[in-house]
């Protein structure tokens, strides 16, 4: 959009009037020159307004509460003209922007590309959107102001804040991806090494090929590993929390649940999720599902009412054998705070009371 000052219209009208009625050629020449300058300036501004573009290097961004993240976008000038003074502003509401990096002044030469970087942080979880990018520049004489915006949508998912909580995986069922020094969880599909035969070794463990080659008995040694699927139940029933600390403790419960889900992703374990919350989400344990659960925790809201069932008994027949069940609610949040206030260092899901029995013996 090109904005024109009322003074420009007045100057154009006066120049055109004097050009038509003045009998002096010098005056007509000056008026014609002014009209020509206005025309060139307008064409300059018109070309710039159609040639300045903005692009983002990504359309989606995910970060955690209270953590810094960098946002960037690229300004491109496709014209052979120079934007001598270009003001830019990236609209990103509900975020704290450091050093006002989302706005500034720059000069854009012909066919120049500039990358703008700035850091942001958010104190609240949720789903947010950034954009559009607004520009303001003009022709060299400043007669025609170019005020434009470019749609550069950016979806920002702010996940719950990371907290200090150790989530330990208890042995589940064998032949998984978690290494452990316990022959009870031996994975006969992954051979680690061979060693010399020792009295008492089972005959089925003998590596007959290596034994025949070296004319001595050798025994296979296998990897010991296990799988421990995670399942997190989150209680967000508002009546189960005390009124004066309800909102704060609910947010802390969400952070604890997110910490457990994040740990399952680090350990490459299947993860499931259920909650007494708005929409009552339920996801059975599956591989590569942690990101989806974290996205749900970014926007989940509390539900009215009070939970009237025991989640351990509720899900005991739905969980596969070896599943680790984590229940997060007001009691677990209180226990967590007691550990924090006592300056306990090794705060984990077991001593806080979050990890419950697992498997079908729940």
């Amino acid at each position: 959009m090109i904005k024109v000052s009322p003074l420009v219209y007045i100057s154009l009208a006066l120049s055109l009037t004097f050009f038509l009625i003045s009998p002096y050629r010098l005056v007509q020449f000056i008026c014609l020159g002014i009209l020509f300058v206005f025309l060139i300036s307008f064409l300059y501004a018109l070309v710039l307004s159609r040639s300045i573009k903005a692009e983002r290097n990504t359309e989606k961004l995910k970060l955690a509460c209270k953590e810094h993240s960098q946002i960037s976008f690229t300004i491109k000038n496709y014209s052979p003209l120079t934007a001598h003074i270009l003001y830019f502003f990236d609209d990103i509401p509900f975020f704290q922007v450091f050093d006002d990096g989302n706005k500034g002044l720059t000069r854009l030469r012909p066919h120049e590309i500039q990358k703008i970087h700035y850091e942001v942080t958010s104190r609240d979880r949720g789903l947010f959107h950034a954009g559009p990018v607004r520009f303001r520049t003009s022709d060299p004489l400043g007669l025609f102001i170019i005020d434009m915006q470019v749609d550069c949508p950016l979806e920002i998912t702010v996940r719950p804040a990371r907290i200090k909580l150790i989530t330990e995986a208890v042995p589940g069922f064998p032949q998984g991806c978690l290494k452990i020094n316990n022959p009870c969880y031996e994975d006969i599909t992954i051979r680690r090494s061979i060693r010399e035969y020792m009295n008492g070794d089972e005959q089925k463990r003998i590596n007959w090929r290596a034994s025949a080659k070296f004319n001595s008995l050798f025994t296979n040694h296998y990897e010991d590993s296990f799988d421990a699927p995670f399942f997190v139940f989150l209680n967000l029933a508002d009546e189960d929390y005390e009124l004066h600390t309800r909102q704060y403790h609910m947010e802390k419960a969400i952070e604890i649940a997110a910490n457990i889900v994040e740990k399952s992703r680090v350990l490459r374990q299947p993860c499931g999720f259920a909650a007494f919350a708005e929409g009552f989400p339920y996801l059975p344990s599956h591989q590569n599902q942690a990101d989806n659960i974290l996205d749900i925790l970014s926007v989940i809201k509390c539900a009215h009412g009070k939970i009237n069932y025991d989640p351990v008994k509720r899900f005991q027949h739905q969980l596969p054998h070896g599943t680790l069940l984590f229940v997060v609610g007001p009691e677990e949040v209180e226990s967590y705070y007691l550990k924090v206030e006592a300056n306990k260092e090794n705060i984990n899901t077991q001593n806080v009371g979050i990890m419950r029995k697992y498997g079908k013996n729940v």
Side-chain angles (χ1 to χ4, degrees):
M1 179 179 178
I2 300 178
K3 296 181 178 179
V4 184
S5 172
L7 294 177
V8 174
Y9 289 115
I10 295 174
S11 301
L12 281 172
L14 291 175
S15 299
L16 185 60
T17 302
F18 278 105
F19 176 77
L20 294 176
I21 66 174
S22 176
Y24 302 104
R25 292 188 177 271
L26 179 61
V27 175
Q28 291 179 343
F29 180 78
I30 294 174
C31 294
L32 188 61
I34 294 174
L35 293 174
F36 181 75
V37 169
F38 283 162
L39 177 61
I40 295 299
S41 296
F42 176 75
L43 293 176
Y44 195 106
L46 184 63
V47 172
L48 276 183
S49 66
R50 296 180 177 180
S51 304
I52 297 177
K53 306 294 181 182
E55 297 178 358
R56 296 194 191 272
N57 56 357
T58 181
E59 294 182 354
K60 295 184 178 180
L61 178 66
K62 296 181 180 181
L63 66 151
C65 282
K66 305 173 186 177
E67 289 187 355
H68 294 192
S69 182
Q70 189 179 79
I71 293 180
S72 62
F73 62 93
T74 303
I75 305 174
K76 299 181 179 181
N77 182 8
Y78 291 97
S79 74
L81 307 176
T82 300
H84 295 277
I85 300 178
L86 176 69
Y87 170 79
F88 62 86
F89 174 71
D90 188 13
D91 191 10
I92 180 166
F94 309 111
F95 278 81
Q96 179 184 352
V97 182
F98 295 93
D99 300 324
D100 290 332
N102 63 325
K103 57 185 177 182
L105 290 172
T106 186
R107 182 188 182 194
L108 210 58
R109 296 180 177 87
H111 304 291
E112 184 179 4
I113 298 176
Q114 289 189 14
K115 291 186 176 180
I116 309 298
H117 305 274
Y118 61 93
E119 288 190 350
V120 300
T121 186
S122 175
R123 300 186 62 86
D124 300 313
R125 61 181 178 86
L127 183 63
F128 305 94
H129 295 84
V133 179
R134 295 186 172 89
F135 297 107
R136 174 168 287 190
T137 184
S138 68
D139 62 282
L141 298 179
L143 299 176
F144 299 93
I145 305 299
I146 304 170
D147 197 354
M148 55 183 292
Q149 66 180 29
V150 181
D151 292 328
C152 290
L154 175 63
E155 183 180 282
I156 306 175
T157 303
V158 181
R159 290 174 171 173
R162 293 186 172 93
I163 60 174
K164 185 179 179 181
L165 178 66
I166 301 172
T167 305
E168 298 175 348
V170 179
F173 52 88
Q175 297 189 359
C177 62
L178 296 176
K179 299 297 184 292
I180 185 172
N181 294 323
N182 188 339
C184 293
Y185 295 92
E186 189 176 65
D187 188 351
I188 61 174
T189 64
I190 305 177
R191 190 176 65 192
R192 180 167 60 185
S193 62
I194 60 173
R195 58 173 173 79
E196 291 185 0
Y197 176 83
M198 298 176 62
N199 289 334
D201 284 348
E202 298 179 0
Q203 186 176 359
K204 64 182 180 181
R205 292 176 176 270
I206 296 177
N207 190 319
W208 295 107
R209 180 176 295 180
S211 300
K213 181 177 181 180
F214 296 102
N215 197 25
S216 180
L217 290 178
F218 287 89
T219 303
N220 290 321
H221 192 197
Y222 299 101
E223 289 281 3
D224 303 326
S225 60
F226 72 93
D227 261 341
F230 284 47
F231 190 87
V232 181
F233 177 81
L234 177 62
N235 178 10
L236 290 182
D238 55 3
E239 294 183 10
D240 285 338
Y241 292 81
E242 295 184 7
L243 182 60
H244 64 285
T245 59
R246 177 176 297 169
Q247 191 63 35
Y248 186 74
H249 281 199
M250 281 185 176
E251 289 298 322
K252 186 58 64 176
I254 295 172
E255 293 173 6
I256 292 174
N259 180 276
I260 298 171
V261 174
E262 182 69 29
K263 185 64 174 182
S264 73
R265 183 174 64 173
V266 173
L267 297 177
R268 295 181 300 169
Q269 295 301 297
C271 187
F273 177 74
F276 188 94
E278 187 178 290
F280 295 89
Y282 173 76
L283 295 174
S285 296
H286 286 298
Q287 198 69 258
N288 303 320
Q289 192 171 243
D291 272 333
N292 295 335
I293 298 174
L294 290 172
D295 289 342
I296 292 175
L297 291 173
S298 301
V299 297
I300 197 169
K301 297 180 180 179
C302 67
H304 298 295
K306 187 178 182 68
I307 191 169
N308 55 4
Y309 58 85
D310 183 359
V312 177
K313 296 180 180 180
R314 175 76 174 268
F315 296 102
Q316 62 178 345
H317 301 297
Q318 303 180 30
L319 302 178
H321 175 73
T323 300
L324 305 183
L325 175 60
F326 301 87
V327 178
V328 183
E331 295 180 2
E332 289 73 25
V333 173
E334 289 288 348
S335 179
Y336 174 81
Y337 271 114
L338 290 176
K339 300 288 183 182
V340 172
E341 292 173 358
N343 294 322
K344 297 290 185 179
E345 293 184 0
N346 294 325
I347 306 176
N348 56 62
T349 53
Q350 289 182 326
N351 59 37
V352 173
I354 296 173
M355 182 183 292
R356 305 301 170 93
K357 297 178 183 179
Y358 60 96
K360 293 193 175 180
N361 296 322
V362 176

